[in-house]
Amino acid sequence: MPEKTEARGQWKSNLGFILAASGSAIGLGNIVFFSANAYKFGGGAFYLPYFIALFVIGIPVMILEFGLGHHTGQSYPLALRKTVGRGGEFLGWFAIINAAFISMYYITILSWVLGMLIGSFGTLWQDSIPVPAFGMAEGALPNPYAYFFDMLSSWWVLGLVVLVWLANIFIVRRGAQTIEACVKVFVPLMWLFMLILLVRGLTLENGVQGMLLLFTPNFEVMKNLDVWQGAFSQIFFTLSLGFGIMAAYASYLPKRSDLTNNALMTSFLNCGFEYIAGVAIFTILFATVLIPKASTLSMMFFIIPSGIKEMPGGDPMVLVFGVLFFVLLLAAGLSSSISLVEAFSSALIDKFRANRKVILLVSFVVGTIGSLCFALPQVINESLSDDGTLGLTLLDLVDHWAFSHGLIVVGLIECILLGWVYGVHRIRRTINEHSKFNLPASFDWLVKLVIPLLILFVLVFSIVLQIKDPAGMYGASYSENYSVDWGWVRWLPQIAFFWWIGSAIGGAALLTFLRAKARGAAVENGGKR
Ligand code: PFF
């Protein structure tokens, strides 16, 4: 298919693809979200639901998304259109817009990581610094809290948001070609840094106890359906499924590619990294006698840096491991965020046959504005002395919908459409043509029945709980923050919900509809894909 190669680019090697796909999968989610979840749900308790989610949902959906992209040679929305028609394309755009929300706040978080990295060369390790924006007295807050809140309420953090967006655009400027060059450096680097952290953690006095805590099962918690929803959402997020990423990446693979093997490699590399990160973090935290809190952001910005600050070896060691930790986060985060920028850029390029530069410019402008929205309230609302988390709360609110609900909804409908409407056996057949391990026919039933039923069960349960508790309807626990009379700000949970659902459904409908106009060109050129 030479036309495909020229027009859409191709990975230079299968290794390049594995690095890119695992680079996308391994991100902030693996380093902190997993440990925070594992802790929240009682250490070992999280492993079983997580393992079940990996084998029953994660790996099969990854094979399916690889198969879809490769089989059609298109990015996600057009691949779904080609297989299941207009409804499929609508789902594709819904997924891309949902994923765009995630990438926007993901990039905001990455900007904070960059800010923390800058601080880790010095200021972050001082005992405290003044926090002028929140009207606190000098020394009122210890570091790393003080540094983080000071950064959050400073204007310069907005510059970091723009910088991280520019870095993303720069890396994806020539699609697969420049992405491959970048992940060849970033992915080995993050493995190396993570292994160094692991060895350090395990060799700390009492470190091994932390590992045992992580692996001690607590079966009681498994009766709690929240654990299952946590595990299902986490498996989609961590494997970058339901984002449209894996289909886009697989569309750049040559015809004769072993997709089953690629999916297994990507999943195991991702989960292996996640376990190593879990052990490294739990050992460091246990050895430095800190109790990790459940919140993922506090884990990343407060708890782990506090642990590093207490490490033996004095200032030089604190500096080395502090810098190492934030470089690791940045490399892992960037190799994930670029995949998302590529997923939605390639979707638009494929759809409108547009120039990559123009689309990247549009992505940059829209994406930066979105990311600034998640960072901005911290900066402009200096008087929030009793709750400096307004922007974080906006982030939490959107995360509640896009991450905890959006991804699994996409997974559910994707399985139903490809399973029943297109016929998953057709995708399985093409996958099996070039794969050493032949997917059995039972794979079809996994996609058609088992996965949708599991997701549906968890989803219905979670929605019923939210309806039962109307105060929590728009993002559960955050609503109590809005009892203060902050004018329109108290409506933020509702605004966040309608912003998300309105953009995702409205945008998806619009983009699906626009297809009709661009169709002439598309059919001529791409009809045979
Ligand atoms: N797999 C990524 C992670 O675990 O961090 C998820 C991801 C998030 C990918 C955001 C891409 C992205 F922009």
Side-chain angles (χ1 to χ4, degrees):
M1 230 189 270
E3 171 219 32
K4 170 175 149 186
T5 316
E6 272 160 35
R8 308 190 67 254
Q10 205 174 69
W11 304 108
K12 280 206 200 105
S13 62
N14 201 52
L15 176 69
F17 170 75
I18 295 285
L19 287 175
S22 66
S24 165
I26 301 170
L28 301 179
N30 301 64
I31 302 171
V32 278
F33 297 6
F34 174 73
S35 305
N37 259 334
Y39 187 80
K40 177 170 153 194
F41 295 122
F46 192 59
Y47 273 68
L48 205 58
Y50 186 75
F51 254 117
I52 294 174
L54 170 67
F55 285 100
V56 180
I57 301 180
I59 296 176
V61 173
M62 185 174 290
I63 296 177
L64 188 70
E65 291 198 358
F66 277 178
L68 177 72
H70 186 247
H71 181 65
T72 56
Q74 294 283 3
S75 47
Y76 196 57
L78 290 198
L80 281 171
R81 182 183 179 109
K82 205 182 164 189
T83 44
V84 288
R86 253 167 195 258
E89 186 179 352
F90 176 82
L91 173 73
W93 288 116
F94 177 89
I96 294 277
I97 297 171
N98 181 58
F101 272 101
I102 296 180
S103 77
M104 284 170 191
Y105 68 72
Y106 198 82
I107 288 182
T108 306
I109 298 174
L110 266 186
S111 318
W112 296 334
V113 168
L114 180 58
M116 292 296 268
L117 173 62
I118 296 169
S120 70
F121 284 96
T123 332
L124 187 58
W125 313 116
Q126 291 166 8
D127 283 341
S128 69
I129 53 161
V131 189
F134 296 103
M136 289 183 191
E138 180 161 356
L141 260 187
N143 262 331
Y145 300 84
Y147 177 86
F148 180 74
F149 283 113
D150 188 40
M151 174 184 77
L152 228 60
S153 55
S154 310
W155 288 100
W156 59 269
V157 80
L158 301 184
L160 298 183
V161 170
V162 178
L163 208 68
V164 175
W165 262 104
L166 281 175
N168 274 282
I169 299 292
F170 180 75
I171 299 171
V172 303
R173 71 192 180 284
R174 280 197 218 111
Q177 191 191 341
T178 43
I179 292 174
E180 191 166 349
C182 162
V183 292
K184 273 188 178 153
V185 179
F186 278 21
V187 175
L189 184 87
M190 68 202 197
W191 275 97
L192 178 71
F193 280 17
M194 190 39 101
L195 289 173
I196 295 176
L197 272 185
L198 175 74
V199 171
R200 180 68 280 220
L202 284 172
T203 51
L204 284 172
E205 209 184 327
N206 287 331
V208 177
Q209 310 289 341
M211 185 172 84
L212 294 181
L213 174 70
L214 182 65
F215 288 111
T216 308
N218 170 1
F219 295 107
E220 264 308 291
V221 193
M222 279 169 44
K223 289 186 204 140
N224 178 354
L225 269 174
D226 259 5
V227 179
W228 292 91
Q229 190 185 3
F232 287 6
S233 305
Q234 170 71 10
I235 208 72
F236 271 89
F237 184 78
T238 187
L239 292 176
S240 298
L241 302 172
F243 285 82
I245 291 174
M246 291 310 182
Y249 272 11
S251 72
Y252 302 138
L253 273 171
K255 201 94 197 78
R256 305 173 63 80
S257 297
D258 186 335
L259 296 183
T260 310
N261 189 41
N262 282 346
L264 287 172
M265 291 266 282
T266 309
S267 304
F268 290 144
L269 281 173
N270 176 74
C271 293
F273 193 95
E274 205 149 61
Y275 291 144
I276 292 177
V279 173
I281 288 169
F282 269 62
T283 51
I284 291 174
L285 293 180
F286 202 88
T288 51
V289 206
L290 281 160
I291 311 291
K293 285 228 188 85
S295 150
T296 49
L297 288 179
S298 67
M299 186 85 151
M300 171 157 51
F301 293 124
F302 307 141
I303 316 289
I304 299 172
S306 303
I308 291 176
K309 204 172 159 210
E310 298 303 316
M311 278 210 307
D315 291 350
M317 279 301 125
V318 170
L319 187 96
V320 167
F321 282 98
V323 171
L324 188 135
F325 175 67
F326 286 110
V327 170
L328 166 64
L329 284 182
L330 199 64
L334 267 176
S335 57
S336 294
S337 61
I338 53 169
S339 65
L340 211 84
V341 176
E342 180 59 23
F344 57 70
S345 303
S346 64
L348 291 170
I349 293 168
D350 283 351
K351 166 112 190 175
F352 299 109
R353 316 236 145 231
N355 179 290
R356 178 167 268 272
K357 280 197 191 124
V358 175
I359 294 296
L360 286 184
L361 187 68
V362 173
S363 306
F364 171 71
V365 174
V366 176
T368 307
I369 293 174
S371 295
L372 288 175
C373 284
F374 290 109
L376 201 58
Q378 308 291 344
V379 180
I380 56 175
N381 234 318
E382 295 195 355
S383 62
L384 295 178
S385 49
D386 50 350
D387 188 333
T389 59
L390 181 59
L392 282 183
T393 312
L394 176 64
L395 196 156
D396 283 331
L397 291 167
V398 174
D399 181 73
H400 173 78
W401 294 110
F403 170 89
S404 303
H405 294 81
L407 292 178
I408 54 176
V409 166
V410 171
L412 168 71
I413 305 179
E414 174 186 64
C415 286
I416 294 176
L417 287 182
L418 290 174
W420 297 96
V421 179
Y422 184 64
V424 60
H425 59 280
R426 293 161 75 183
I427 297 183
R428 179 167 57 85
R429 219 180 287 137
T430 38
I431 293 175
N432 280 347
E433 266 170 35
H434 301 290
S435 297
K436 278 196 209 89
F437 173 77
N438 266 358
L439 292 172
S442 53
F443 177 80
D444 300 355
W445 289 104
L446 211 54
V447 172
K448 284 162 90 163
L449 219 56
V450 180
I451 299 176
L453 283 179
L454 282 175
I455 297 180
L456 204 62
F457 179 63
V458 163
L459 207 62
V460 168
F461 165 79
S462 125
I463 288 172
V464 167
L465 275 192
Q466 288 182 56
I467 292 173
K468 270 195 188 158
D469 168 23
M473 179 64 196
Y474 294 101
S477 52
Y478 313 111
S479 50
E480 73 224 27
N481 289 340
Y482 301 95
S483 49
V484 199
D485 189 11
W486 284 345
W488 67 270
V489 172
R490 73 161 68 192
W491 298 107
L492 207 58
Q494 285 81 354
I495 294 172
F497 172 72
F498 287 110
W499 180 35
W500 168 73
I501 198 78
S503 312
I505 292 189
L510 184 72
L511 284 159
T512 309
F513 166 76
L514 281 178
R515 168 87 180 156
K517 289 189 180 157
R519 201 173 166 77
V523 167
E524 255 174 68
N525 212 359
K528 68 188 184 55
R529 278 199 181 152

